Amino acid sequence: MNHDKIKQYLDELQQQHILQVGAAIRANEQQVGGAHYAVKAIQPWDFIIANNIGYLEGNIIKYISRWKDKGGVEDLKKAQHYLQKLIETHDKEKMV
């Protein structure tokens, strides 16, 4: 093999490795900080993205979906806090 062919071969191997590593660590296949989303039939963020849901609404969905498996009533209070902000934002937009 000449130098160019060897370089091309090594470049191809490197690209394959990068693709394999990238495929091996997809976001839905890992969770940082617990397993409370792993038990869900649909990941909350996939639902949020698929339905083009905004930040405040998305956080409400996130906290509501995990409250039994992670934060308990504290997560319900967090969802309520985001809901309060969403209502305030909506009311302010209606005034303008």
Side-chain angles (χ1 to χ4, degrees):
M1 281 189 166
N2 67 29
H3 178 66
D4 290 336
K5 286 186 179 183
I6 292 172
K7 182 174 178 351
Q8 181 182 1
Y9 175 74
L10 291 174
D11 287 345
E12 288 172 6
L13 280 179
Q14 183 179 19
Q15 285 294 80
Q16 289 175 356
H17 177 71
I18 290 169
L19 292 173
Q20 289 171 348
V21 168
I25 54 172
R26 293 178 195 249
N28 280 9
E29 295 173 1
Q30 64 178 349
Q31 184 171 328
V32 177
H36 46 279
Y37 296 121
V39 298
K40 305 293 179 207
I42 300 170
Q43 289 283 333
W45 61 14
D46 289 332
F47 177 81
I48 292 163
I49 291 167
N51 290 285
N52 198 29
I53 294 172
Y55 178 78
L56 296 172
E57 296 95 329
N59 276 293
I60 294 165
I61 291 167
K62 174 182 76 171
Y63 288 121
I64 292 295
S65 71
R66 76 180 202 186
W67 81 276
K68 290 180 185 176
D69 301 312
K70 185 177 182 200
V73 173
E74 184 70 22
D75 275 350
L76 294 176
K77 290 178 181 179
K78 290 176 183 179
Q80 183 179 36
H81 193 209
Y82 276 93
L83 183 57
Q84 178 183 359
K85 181 64 176 177
L86 180 60
I87 292 168
E88 290 172 6
T89 302
H90 178 72
D91 287 347
K92 189 182 288 186
E93 288 175 358
K94 283 176 55 178
M95 293 175 144
V96 175

